[in-house]
């Protein structure tokens, strides 16, 4: 898919979590008795979602199974519990070891693309829909839950610019967190003094306790104000992202690790796969949310964002 897929999906499936984390621990054999999955309940391999994926992406599943490392990843994933939307539990999946070889990772990448952007995106058993994303700023795939911070209870404000009135009327809690003192205000002040993506990321490093509120402000403003024309018009790519993948976008940038991946990419040169992979490995706890955003953008915004 060119640059869009390279930047959003670099590294393919889930990256390796720290040894002992989640369900799979440091090896790819799957959940142990001490994890959250395992034989105590239904596992993903026997789920309706897994059966649909096998049917829709059969050739890609078989190709993955032909590679020992890719097959080990699928075996680990298969032992995970089923998530709330019917797909594999994301926390357990994140602990499964991705293939170390380029061949194995490439086959997992291809399978992931089929699952989330190809024929598998129609597996409603997994909480997916290939037609999701046409409802406007709240759009997203079935099973995506919009963060509550996007809908804030605020008194109407008038008298300023269209942008500031919108922010105060739709994102009052976030505006207060970012402008009225505290870690997010310190981060905002640092950020406003920057002229480069690297400087902005340095601010996130310097004020980590402000990232959560700063991300919530960014998401609320983007979906409630910028996407609707009250603030500076976003690029066609960003507008499509807000309109068609608003839920995935908001879920990502209101998660500290996914926010850091999202903005870490801005420091990477065009098509610098190693840099993008390093971003995802550094903030691996947000990788699945970032991948889901990338899949949605690839499904709906290729024309707006380029390939």
């Amino acid at each position: 898919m060119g640059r869009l897929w390279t930047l959003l999906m670099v590294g393919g499936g889930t990256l390796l979590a720290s040894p002992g984390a989640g369900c799979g621990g440091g090896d790819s054999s799957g959940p142990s008795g001490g994890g959250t999955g395992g034989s105590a309940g239904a596992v993903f391999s026997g789920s309706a979602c897994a059966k649909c994926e096998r049917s829709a992406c059969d050739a890609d599943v078989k190709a993955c199974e032909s590679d020992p490392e890719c097959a080990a990843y699928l075996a680990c994933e298969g032992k995970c519990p089923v998530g709330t939307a019917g797909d594999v539990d994301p926390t357990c999946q994140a602990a499964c070891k991705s293939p170390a070889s380029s061949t194995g990772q490439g086959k997992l990448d291809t399978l992931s693309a089929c699952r989330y952007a190809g024929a598998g995106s129609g597996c409603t058993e997994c909480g997916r829909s290939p037609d999701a994303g046409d409802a406007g700023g709240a759009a997203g795939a079935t099973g995506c839950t919009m963060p509550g911070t996007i809908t804030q209870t605020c008194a109407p404000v008038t008298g300023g610019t269209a942008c500031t009135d919108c922010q105060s009327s739709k994102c009052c809690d976030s505006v207060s967190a970012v402008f009225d003192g505290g870690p997010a205000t310190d981060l905002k002040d640092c950020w406003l003094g920057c002229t480069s993506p690297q400087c902005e990321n340095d601010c996130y490093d310097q004020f980590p306790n402000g990232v959560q509120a700063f991300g919530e402000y960014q998401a609320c403003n983007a979906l409630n104000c910028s996407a609707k024309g009250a603030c500076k018009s976003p690029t066609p790519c960003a507008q499509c992202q807000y309109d068609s993948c608003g839920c995935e976008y908001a879920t990502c940038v209101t998660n500290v690790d996914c926010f850091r991946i999202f903005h870490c990419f801005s420091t990477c040169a065009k098509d610098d796969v190693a840099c993008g992979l390093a971003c995802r490995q550094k903030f691996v706890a947000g990788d699945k949310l970032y991948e889901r955003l990338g899949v949605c953008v690839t499904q709906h915004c290729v024309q707006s964002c380029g390939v």
Side-chain angles (χ1 to χ4, degrees):
M1 297 295 295
R3 176 165 169 76
L4 177 67
W5 187 260
T6 299
L7 290 183
L8 290 175
M9 298 300 293
V10 61
T14 310
L15 297 175
L16 174 63
S18 300
C23 305
D27 86 76
S28 57
S29 59
S32 63
T36 60
S39 59
V43 294
F44 179 67
S45 61
S47 68
C49 175
K51 292 176 182 177
C52 181
E53 286 186 341
R54 164 66 77 170
S55 176
C57 304
D58 185 59
D60 295 324
V61 172
K62 289 178 178 176
C64 182
E65 290 175 336
S66 70
D67 179 87
E69 291 183 336
C70 194
Y73 177 89
L74 290 185
C76 171
E77 183 184 78
K79 295 177 184 179
C80 287
V82 178
T84 55
D87 208 334
V88 60
D89 177 76
T91 302
C92 182
Q93 184 189 44
C96 293
K97 184 178 180 180
S98 292
S101 69
S102 58
T103 299
Q105 185 63 66
K107 291 182 177 181
L108 183 57
D109 289 350
T110 301
L111 175 56
S112 294
C114 179
R115 281 174 153 180
Y116 300 109
S121 67
C123 287
T124 56
E125 298 89 342
C126 306
R128 304 174 198 150
S129 170
D131 299 318
D134 298 324
T142 303
C144 182
T145 302
M146 184 69 77
T149 50
I150 301 304
T151 306
Q152 300 178 20
T153 302
C154 310
V157 175
T158 59
T161 67
C163 183
T164 58
D165 286 352
C166 180
Q167 291 180 356
S168 296
S169 299
K170 299 290 187 180
C171 307
C172 51
D173 294 336
S174 294
V175 168
S176 178
V178 171
F179 288 90
D180 293 347
T185 300
D186 294 336
L187 171 55
K188 178 263 299 179
D189 291 341
C190 178
W191 186 88
L192 286 174
C194 289
T195 57
S196 70
Q198 185 58 60
C199 173
E200 293 171 359
N201 277 271
D202 290 342
C203 290
Y204 305 143
D205 287 336
Q206 187 176 353
F207 301 102
N209 291 336
V211 171
Q212 179 75 51
F214 194 76
E216 291 172 355
Y217 168 79
Q218 179 177 317
C220 187
N221 176 60
L223 297 187
N224 290 313
C225 299
S226 293
K228 299 179 180 179
C231 296
K232 182 179 179 180
S233 298
T235 65
C237 178
Q239 185 71 57
C240 181
Q241 180 174 277
Y242 301 155
D243 288 344
S244 297
C245 304
C247 183
E248 286 82 359
Y249 168 78
T251 302
C252 177
V253 298
T254 57
N255 173 275
V256 171
D257 288 282
C258 194
F259 176 98
R260 293 304 310 271
I261 295 174
F262 189 91
H263 290 283
C264 180
F265 265 100
S266 66
T267 67
C268 297
K270 181 180 178 180
D271 297 328
D272 188 344
V273 174
C275 177
L277 183 58
C279 290
R280 295 179 69 169
Q281 289 175 326
K282 185 175 182 180
F283 304 105
V284 69
D287 188 62
K288 288 309 299 182
L289 293 177
Y290 187 78
E291 181 175 319
R292 291 179 189 277
L293 172 60
V295 166
C296 184
V297 172
T298 302
Q299 280 184 274
H300 299 288
C301 302
V302 169
Q303 184 174 357
S304 299
C305 296
V307 295

